[in-house]
Each structure stands twice: as C-alpha cells, then as structure tokens.
Amino acid sequence: MSPSVPTPLPRVSVTAKARRGGALALVAGSGPDGPELRSASGADAVGAGLLDALAVTAATGEVRRLPLSTGPGWLVGVGDGGPRDWRAAGAALTRALNARARDLDEPVGSVQVALPGDLAVANAAEFALGATLGGHELKVTNEAKAPRAKTLELLAAPGDDLAALDAAVHRAVLLAEATAFARDMAGTPSNIKDPAWLAGTARKACSAVAGLDVVVRDEKWLAKNGFGGVLAVGGGSSRPPRLVELSWNPPAAQGTPHLVLVGKGITFDTGGISVKPAEGMHLMRTDMSGGAAVIAALRGIAALQLPIRVTGLVPCAENHVSGSAYRPGDVVRHYGGKTTEVTNTDAEGRMVLADALAYAVREHDPDVLVDVATLTGAMKVALGLRTGGVFATDPELAKRVTTAGAEVGESWWEMPLLDAHADDVRSEIADLRQCPPGPGGITAALFLREFSAGLPWAHLDIAGPARAEKPYDEVGAGGTGFAARTLVQLAASYL
C-alpha cells in the first residue's frame, strides 16, 4: 500500500475572536521568579496556585492538560522564549494533542492558542511552523488512520497587527509544508520509491502549483544526451533513471538572478559493487533527501509566488548490484564530455550530480548554482547530525546560505575548499578521479567544483541532518526534510 504524499498536516491559522467553551492552550515561560503565564487571553481561567500544584516548569516543549474553568485546557512551555523555543513548543503541543486523540480514539477539536500580547510576529511564525511539522507523520499501513489534531488557531492579543501576524504565519506554514513534503519523499520505502515514482510524485505535486513547470526525462533521453554518470549509477538496477527539471519563471522575475538548484536523487543506495555493510543499509531510502529538498523548495517558492527565476534539477537513480552495475576502474563520460575514473561505486552521488551540474551550466545559464546532497559520511564526523556543511567558491554565497538557514531554523557551517587537495581529484587514466584518499567531504566538493564552470557555486552536504534517529524540536524521526526551508529562504534573499 502506497503512502499518501503529500501527507495531511494540521491547519494552523490566525484569529482575533476567542471562542467560548472551546479548547484553549495557554503559554507559560520562564520568569525571574519561576514559571509565569504569558498568554494575553484566557489567563483568568487558571485558578490561583494551579501552576504550583501541577509543578509546572515552563520548560521548552513541556505540555500539560489544564482544568480550566471555561473548558478543556492545555499549557505549553516556551522556556526563555527564543525562536527555537517557540518552534519546539508548537511541535510539542501538536504531538500532545495527537497523543490525546489516540487515547480517546476521537479527533481533537479545534484548539485556540492564546498568544502573549508582546510576542514578536517572527516568534508566532516559529510556533506555527513547529505546530504544523509536529503533526507530520508518514506511515504505510492498512489500518484506519489514527485520530489527530486537525486545526489550531493562534489567538491574537488585543492590539496585535492582524495583517502582519497572518502574513507571517501563512509564510511559516508554507515553509513547513515544504519541509513535510521533503520528509514524505525521503521516508517513502524504496520498494515503492524508484526513480519513476520520485519523478512522477514531483510532477504531480508541483504541476498543481500555477506557474511551476515540471519535465521528466527518461533513460532514452539521458542516453541520447550523454548523461554517462546517471546512466552508470542507474545501470545496475532494473528500474531505470530519470532527470526531473522544474522551472519557476514568473513575469515579475525579469531582471533577477537565475538560481539553479541541483539535488541528489538516489532512491536507494546499496553501494553498488562497493557494497555497503548490511547494518544501516535500510536507511538508504533517504539517500535522495537532497533531491527531495530541491523539489519541495521549488514547490514552496512557487506557492509563495517569489518573483525570482529558479530552476531545479534532480537526477534520479537507484544504485544497485547486478551484472550490469558499473565497476571500480571504469571510466565514465559525463554530460559535456569530461571523464571520470571510478574508484568506489558507493560514491555515486557525485557521479549523478556531475552530469546535472554540467547540464545546468550549458542549458540553463545560471547566475548562481547550488547543489545539495547526502554525500559523505565525513561530514557526519565533522559536523554531527544536526548541521549541514557548506562549500562555496563565493564567500558572499556561503554567507547567504548560512544566514538563510539561521532565519528558518536550520544550522549550517562553512567548510574550506582546500586547493591543496585539488590535484587529488586528477586521474592518470581519465580527466578526474572520483573518490581520492584524503578529507572525504573536501575532496568530494573539489570533484563537483570541476563541473561548476567558475560560476558562483555552493555545495551543501546534508549527510548528517537529513536523517534523525529520534524526534527533537520540530524534527521527527527518519527523514527530516532538512535544507528545503533554507533553499526557499535563499531564493527570497535575492529579492
């Protein structure tokens, strides 16, 4: 049974009208003398001493049921009240409401969240983003869907700028939807998700957004046009590769930079002939997380109607083991003619990205070129599991990426492109050597740089943060959708 993609998410909106008798969530934060209520509305429904009686701490993400005098109640903690606190609190509240719905075996009705009167619009947006993503769940099952929270209303405080609040929350929800869609694609099992499925899902979901064009290229087109890297990687599978091209070019984009995003779309990675260890291989269904981020970002950019020209390219392939699989020692000719000596078939991501980068340069004439991929285990060692690595030929572009990430709650760290290792990617038998010894994240980036034609280019390695072993903040276990929001924000930074 195939999962429903995109999966349904709770609807989060803004209202200025308090309901009588409905479920109400109040906000508590850390004060100088301990926990204190922050909500501008509904606080009078809390009896004196109730917070002490319940031993409330107001820690970030703490959620308690409250016996309010006006009806069902909840309390959610935001700790010190920073952006991450509000994002995590929103996710925690939705998860608690979903758990309550499962216990009662009935949906939780609409819940209003009473906002503080002095709350910054940006923090309300963070709460909305977290509340939306906290309700995300992808599950393949024949069982009836468990009851869930469907609607949260952020109750504005008297005097709030409703238009500004509504606009910020609407944008946050669209960013959350982009992240959730990327999670959906990454989490779909690979017996369902082959290159054709990924391409078809992109076409169906993105073509529904006005002005966003999607073209899918099949293996015959790839062979005719010389995509040797994609064909080599996909050659070991009975499920042939694809190339997804997404184009967003609204009339208002005239005169803006052309941003081209390239994402790795390996729908399953056995490692090929250089086969991976069995332990952990099941996680390789998420090896197309970079491609998922690009697809979801284009959909988000179009939904936000950003007036900038953006193209997305996602080479999709399954790296499998068979008699037709490519081998260590092979020489592969990429799109545009450069040749690569294969030294490790498990370094397949750079092979497909090389084709797509060269194609982007020749056919799309970008002003800015960015690729994103779960590329190297070295980056997990260097930066851990919650931070993406940024390699860039242009310091201004690197700064844009890290700033964009910080603005949407995704952490990035700039890494060095060390020219001392540039000769390591040279081959005696071909133009380039695919996987030389040395610092793996850096040499992978230097290999990809060979296909960027001197353009302002950034390589985003998300091998660590693309997957999570357990939930934290607004992130769920499994594919995280990391980088989708950053790419949307990066596009917006040029406006």
Side-chain angles (χ1 to χ4, degrees), residues 72-465:
W74 299 84
L75 185 76
V76 57
V78 296
D80 293 331
R84 177 185 170 188
D85 298 311
W86 281 95
R87 195 165 60 248
L93 177 60
T94 304
R95 289 172 183 146
L97 294 174
N98 286 343
R100 179 65 175 166
R102 288 192 294 270
D103 290 344
L104 297 175
D105 196 27
E106 62 182 36
V108 174
S110 178
V111 176
Q112 288 193 327
V113 181
L115 300 178
D118 58 350
L119 182 63
V121 166
N123 282 341
E126 295 285 359
F127 187 90
L129 188 147
T132 304
L133 287 175
H136 177 266
E137 182 180 74
L138 178 72
K139 192 169 184 179
V140 183
T141 179
N142 271 333
E143 296 180 2
K145 290 183 179 179
R148 304 176 67 77
K150 294 184 177 181
T151 305
L152 276 80
E153 291 182 324
L154 305 190
L155 178 59
D160 279 351
D161 185 337
L162 282 179
L165 183 60
D166 187 67
V169 166
H170 175 70
R171 188 178 193 277
V173 167
L174 290 178
L175 288 172
E177 289 175 351
T179 299
F181 184 36
R183 289 182 187 179
D184 288 336
M185 290 182 280
T188 297
S190 293
N191 60 318
I192 297 168
K193 178 182 59 191
D194 63 2
W197 182 93
L198 182 57
T201 298
R203 178 161 51 193
K204 180 179 179 181
C206 294
S207 295
V209 182
L212 181 56
D213 296 325
V214 184
V215 176
V216 176
R217 314 289 191 181
D218 65 12
E219 71 275 20
K220 293 179 181 178
W221 185 93
L222 292 168
K224 181 179 178 180
N225 287 275
F227 281 68
V230 178
L231 292 167
V233 172
S237 173
S238 61
R239 306 195 288 182
R242 296 286 187 270
L243 175 69
V244 181
E245 291 191 54
L246 307 105
S247 301
W248 171 249
N249 189 19
Q254 290 186 7
T256 62
H258 182 197
L259 174 63
V260 176
L261 308 175
V262 179
K264 171 185 169 184
I266 301 299
T267 56
F268 193 77
D269 183 19
T270 66
I273 297 296
S274 307
V275 67
K276 291 178 178 291
E279 184 180 359
M281 193 190 290
H282 64 286
L283 298 173
M284 289 300 101
R285 64 174 173 265
T286 66
D287 207 25
M288 35 57 67
S289 293
V294 168
I295 293 166
L298 263 293
R299 187 168 178 257
I301 288 165
L304 286 166
Q305 294 286 297
L306 296 184
I308 179 173
R309 184 183 177 194
V310 186
T311 297
L313 299 173
V314 181
C316 309
E318 185 175 72
N319 189 25
H320 229 301
V321 184
S322 76
S324 57
Y326 78 132
R327 297 158 290 262
D330 285 0
V331 172
V332 171
R333 187 178 299 277
H334 294 282
Y335 179 90
K338 279 186 180 176
T339 57
T340 291
E341 174 193 3
V342 177
T343 54
N344 183 345
T345 63
D346 193 24
E348 83 298 328
R350 66 199 73 181
M351 298 294 290
V352 301
L353 290 174
D355 279 354
L357 288 169
Y359 179 72
V361 169
R362 178 175 290 190
E363 296 297 325
H364 291 283
D365 191 25
D367 296 299
V368 182
L369 185 59
V370 177
D371 73 74
V372 55
T374 50
L375 207 66
T376 66
M379 293 308 299
K380 295 165 66 175
V381 174
L383 297 177
L385 303 181
R386 298 192 183 185
T387 302
V390 181
F391 299 85
T393 56
D394 177 49
E396 191 270 341
L397 176 56
K399 181 66 174 176
R400 277 185 185 270
V401 172
T402 56
T403 299
E407 291 171 345
V408 294
E410 294 183 332
S411 176
W412 299 90
W413 191 263
E414 185 177 0
M415 300 293 292
L417 268 174
L418 297 176
D419 281 326
H421 295 281
D423 287 342
D424 294 345
V425 300
R426 302 293 170 192
S427 168
E428 294 181 359
I429 193 173
D431 296 321
L432 301 171
R433 182 166 52 157
Q434 171 213 30
C435 193
I442 293 172
T443 54
L446 289 168
F447 175 87
L448 293 175
R449 185 177 68 172
E450 296 292 323
F451 298 88
S452 65
L455 291 167
W457 161 78
H459 161 58
L460 313 184
D461 193 331
I462 61 170

